[in-house]
């Protein structure tokens, strides 16, 4: 019987996923991305499991996350890529963390912070078309030249060059080819200027799985590490570009050189809660705020004691399903801040019965991907936002690889 609302994370599933992804990418090294508290699964615990499964690198967004890994005893290579003015640059560099420079200004700040720190490591990020972080192609050569000068002065070591895809979850999207070509050109610029980065990397989970040509020296796997499908739409036609309303270009649906089977990933997170109340309602009763659902016949409702304050999306109101003692039950009415209601359809269910909101999907329960589809979002958002009053607990189901 479930006692408290809990998020159960299976560390064996994490290790399994790291291993099958590593085997899939062959020669490229593995960076397990553990930003955002390990996508809601636990920064330190996932980092440790990933190292046990052979991840040479851990990736974080912020310096704070990287330093938290060091504080927990991680001694391996760590890259972080999203810095703020006034960040703890010197502390990160002296802790052996690889920082990322997007611009001349950022490189200069990092070089100043590196004064007196031997082997201060920096990677350069080039924007090949995401138009988010990274140096625009027009500024790439000047960033490379400044990095070469810093290496010559002996103040920094440029350990990596990387970029990030915009559309890798749509493997046949033409932007993927354009970005990979731009990345190769950026590497040529860097190499002809004299940089010899230890790692060149472009692929996130979707590209690591579907685009072998983008493997380079290292792949950065986040969502697939947690057992979730990074490209749930597969090779379907691309989403329409809403800002211009242009029709998406028609392209042939194909896996880019992908001949290997897709890795067999195991979702690592199960989210459960006990039923806090069971009661009958008459025909015609309205359920939850706004009475968006009306009982057409008498039924039994179960009260689940978690809500949007705990990361259950309010968009799941009247739409999602859960498993109660292994049986699928629909959510009725709106998800509230602390609770929501499921329809037990007159069945005899015990108080305290286990409600599984989502999990691996092998016991009849929905998956995080099912919730994402129901809510019009991606599984990343479902798992990273779960938290609030849930307790997180770790299990280790033993090696299933
Ligand atoms: C989050 C992130 C990743 C991991 O992406 P997934 O799609 O979860 O594999 C990789 N690289 C960068 C730069 C990121 O920000």
């Amino acid at each position: 019987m479930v006692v408290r609302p809990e998020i159960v994370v299976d560390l064996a599933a994490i290790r399994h996923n790291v291993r099958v992804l590593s085997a899939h990418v062959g020669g490229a090294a593995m960076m397990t991305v553990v930003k955002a508290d390990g996508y809601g699964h636990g920064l330190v615990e996932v980092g440790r499991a990933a190292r046990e499964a052979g991840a040479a690198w851990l990736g974080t967004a912020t310096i704070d996350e990287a330093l938290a890994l060091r504080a927990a005893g991680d001694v391996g290579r760590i890259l972080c890529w999203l810095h703020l003015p006034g960040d703890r640059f010197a502390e990160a560099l002296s802790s052996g963390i690889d920082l990322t420079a997007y611009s001349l200004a950022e490189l200069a700040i990092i070089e100043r912070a590196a004064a007196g720190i031997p082997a201060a490591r920096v990677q350069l990020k080039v924007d090949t078309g995401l138009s988010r972080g990274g140096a625009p192609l027009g500024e790439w050569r000047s960033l490379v030249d400044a990095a070469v000068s810093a290496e010559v002065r002996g103040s920094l070591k440029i350990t990596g060059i990387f970029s990030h895809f915009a559309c890798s979850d749509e493997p046949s999207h033409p932007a993927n080819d354009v970005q990979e070509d731009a990345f190769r050109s950026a590497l040529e610029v860097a190499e002809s200027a004299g940089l010899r980065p230890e790692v060149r990397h472009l692929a996130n989970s979707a590209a690591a799985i579907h685009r072998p040509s983008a493997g380079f020296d290292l792949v950065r796997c986040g969502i697939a590490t947690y057992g979730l499908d990074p490209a749930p739409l597969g090779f379907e036609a691309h989403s329409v570009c809403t800002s211009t309303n242009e029709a998406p270009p028609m392209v042939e649906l194909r896996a880019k050189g992908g001949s290997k089977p897709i890795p067999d990933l195991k979702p690592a997170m199960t989210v459960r809660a006990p039923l806090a109340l069971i009661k009958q309602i008459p025909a015609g009763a309205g359920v939850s705020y706004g009475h968006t659902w009306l009982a057409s016949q008498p039924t039994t409702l179960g009260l689940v004691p978690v809500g949007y304050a705990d990361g259950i999306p309010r968009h799941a109101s009247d739409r999602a399903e859960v498993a109660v003692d292994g049986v699928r039950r629909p959510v009725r009415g709106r998800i509230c801040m602390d609770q929501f209601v499921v329809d037990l359809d007159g069945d005899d269910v015990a108080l305290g019965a286990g409600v599984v909101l989502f999990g691996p999907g092998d016991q009849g329960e929905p998956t995080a991907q099912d919730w994402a589809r129901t809510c019009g979002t991606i599984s990343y958002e479902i798992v990273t936002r779960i938290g609030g009053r849930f307790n997180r607990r770790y299990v280790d189901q033993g090696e299933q690889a």
Side-chain angles (χ1 to χ4, degrees):
M1 192 159 99
V2 182
V3 180
R4 319 283 324 162
E6 61 178 10
I7 298 168
V8 184
V9 176
D10 181 3
L11 295 171
I14 300 279
R15 292 198 305 271
H16 165 87
N17 296 332
V18 170
R19 290 198 173 111
V20 295
L21 288 163
S22 298
H24 182 81
V25 298
M30 177 58 62
M31 175 187 289
T32 297
V33 179
V34 293
K35 64 190 182 188
D37 202 16
Y39 288 45
H41 297 66
L43 170 80
V44 168
E45 293 82 356
V46 172
R48 204 174 286 141
R51 294 296 195 198
E52 286 164 11
W57 290 79
L58 298 180
T60 69
T62 69
I63 287 178
D64 288 350
E65 292 169 325
L67 285 170
L69 288 167
R70 284 284 184 259
D74 190 278
V75 295
R77 297 297 291 275
I78 300 175
L79 171 67
C80 56
W81 51 71
L82 185 59
H83 311 322
L84 299 148
D87 236 332
R88 294 188 278 167
F89 294 106
E91 199 180 334
L93 293 169
S94 58
S95 302
I97 292 162
D98 287 46
L99 300 182
T100 299
Y102 295 167
S103 66
L104 287 171
E106 202 168 25
L107 189 69
I109 289 169
I110 294 171
E111 190 175 6
R112 274 199 297 283
I117 300 170
R121 293 195 282 250
V122 180
Q123 304 204 12
L124 305 180
K125 185 170 184 193
V126 57
D127 178 1
T128 53
L130 177 60
S131 305
R132 198 179 65 179
L137 292 173
E139 292 168 23
W140 178 239
R141 182 174 293 276
S142 57
L143 181 61
V144 163
D145 289 344
V148 170
S149 303
E151 279 204 334
V152 169
R153 284 190 290 277
S155 50
L156 296 175
K157 174 84 190 101
I158 306 304
T159 49
I161 293 178
F162 71 105
S163 189
H164 194 41
F165 281 119
C167 306
S168 59
D169 59 335
E170 299 170 59
S172 58
H173 196 295
N176 295 319
D177 285 340
V178 174
Q179 284 197 262
E180 191 179 317
D181 289 348
F183 187 60
R184 289 182 193 281
S185 304
L187 288 176
E188 276 167 28
V189 168
E191 278 158 22
S192 61
L195 292 180
R196 293 290 175 271
E198 173 191 343
V199 283
R200 298 160 295 179
H201 46 114
L202 177 59
N204 61 350
S205 296
I209 292 172
H210 294 290
R211 203 176 169 85
S213 60
F216 295 94
D217 304 310
L218 180 68
V219 295
R220 305 184 303 269
C221 289
I223 198 74
T225 304
Y226 305 97
L228 298 168
D229 184 350
L233 299 177
F235 291 83
E236 283 172 28
H238 332 302
S239 51
V240 177
C241 177
T242 47
S243 62
T244 62
N245 275 332
E246 277 171 25
M250 294 301 293
V251 287
E252 200 189 329
L253 303 181
R254 69 201 143 86
K256 186 80 181 166
S259 52
K260 283 193 199 173
I262 303 298
D264 163 38
L265 301 170
K266 296 183 196 301
M269 181 187 284
T270 300
V271 175
R272 337 193 287 172
L275 272 185
L277 177 73
I278 295 165
K279 69 175 174 194
Q280 314 297 322
I281 57 163
V287 172
S288 195
Y289 291 130
H291 281 181
T292 54
W293 190 79
L294 297 174
S296 59
Q297 55 191 44
T299 192
T300 325
L301 296 181
L303 185 67
V304 186
V306 285
Y308 60 77
D310 308 294
I312 311 304
R314 192 168 174 278
H315 283 93
S317 298
D318 281 310
R319 305 170 68 164
E321 290 182 344
V322 300
V324 181
D325 281 346
V327 179
R328 287 283 188 116
R329 305 287 185 179
V331 171
R332 297 299 193 203
R334 293 213 177 119
I335 305 273
C336 308
M337 189 184 294
D338 318 299
Q339 48 198 303
F340 67 92
V341 164
V342 296
D343 194 345
L344 301 173
D345 201 19
D347 289 348
D348 193 20
V349 175
L351 192 61
V355 180
V356 179
L357 282 72
F358 59 85
D362 51 7
Q363 314 265 324
E365 76 279 14
T367 61
Q369 178 56 36
D370 291 333
W371 277 71
R373 193 182 315 104
T374 298
C375 299
T377 184
I378 54 177
S379 62
Y380 298 67
E381 190 178 1
I382 300 295
V383 291
T384 55
R385 295 184 77 165
I386 283 284
R389 288 160 287 196
F390 281 100
N391 288 325
R392 194 160 58 208
R393 182 165 69 83
Y394 291 90
V395 295
D396 202 322
Q397 305 293 10
E399 274 305 279
Q400 297 150 339

